[in-house]
Amino acid sequence: MTELDLRREIIAHCLRMNAAGINQGVSGNISVRFGERMLITPTSIPYDRLLPEDIASMSLAGNDGAFEGPKPPSSEWRFHLDIMRSRPEVGAIVHTHPTYCTSLAIARRSIPACHYMIAIFGGDDVRCADYATYGTEQLSANVLKALEDRSACLLANHGAIATGYDLANAFWRAVELETIARQYFNALLIGGPVLLTAEEMKDTFAKGLGSNYAGQRAR
Ligand code: 13P
């Protein structure tokens, strides 16, 4: 894909994440790896007004928030950059504020093995990262910890992050994550879930579903 293709793809997925009901307003952001750089949505611009040239470009080697483009990058550029840097298998990141993920994250709950599809996130749970103010290095550090051996996490009192080898893969995980969060939330309401055992999850992994982490091609 050319850089222009990727910029267009980012905008298309911003619109899709709101249409899919996993985000609202401009509360989410998306980044895609492009060689030694990262393309990332600009901060606070309604997605239906975004033009390809508005997508900010940042060096993966940078630390000071320097960017190229007419508009400043997402206020969450720090964790996007740190994930890309520390996880070479990640090609794209989708950050949203989905209702059920965020409800669980407000209750500071991780998502356990309530459904075998949890395997697509790399293990038998999706952790909730500790709270820190949005856009900070501390939030980024908490996110990296929660993402260890995982391709997604919740963010306490904030939202969710899903990663993938490309944008379609990360977007797929973002939708699956909110789906499982909704199912888990509903099970909590009707008496509590019966969780899968470690043995049952092992059988799921043995079939090849999510045997690894974000790098897997499990579409
Ligand atoms: P941006 O508009 O700066 O991307 O911020 C939205 C957000 O998700 C903050 O957590």
Side-chain angles (χ1 to χ4, degrees), residues 16-85:
R16 272 183 75 194
M17 69 187 184
N18 282 21
I22 61 166
N23 193 63
Q24 53 288 316
V26 289
S27 56
N29 29 74
I30 287 180
S31 65
V32 170
R33 187 189 296 274
F34 184 63
E36 299 304 306
R37 301 189 71 80
M38 168 177 87
L39 302 174
I40 183 165
T41 45
T43 185
S44 309
I45 312 275
Y47 307 139
D48 56 2
R49 280 197 233 143
L50 276 182
L51 300 172
E53 56 268 33
D54 292 332
I55 303 297
S57 169
M58 304 180 83
S59 166
L60 289 177
N63 255 322
D64 55 1
F67 65 95
E68 284 174 16
K71 304 208 160 65
S74 167
S75 54
E76 299 292 12
W77 63 265
R78 168 57 66 185
F79 70 60
H80 284 266
L81 196 76
D82 288 344
I83 295 170
M84 292 270 179
R85 269 212 283 248

Side-chain angles (χ1 to χ4, degrees), residues 6 8 11 27 29 31 33 64 66 69 71 74 81 91 123 132 148 157 159 167 170 180 202-203 217:
L6 286 175
R8 287 187 176 134
I11 296 171
S27 56
N29 29 74
S31 65
R33 187 189 296 274
D64 55 1
K71 304 208 160 65
S74 167
L81 196 76
E148 234 166 74
N157 304 82
L167 186 46
I180 291 183
K202 233 170 91 189
D203 292 343
R217 297 189 171 248

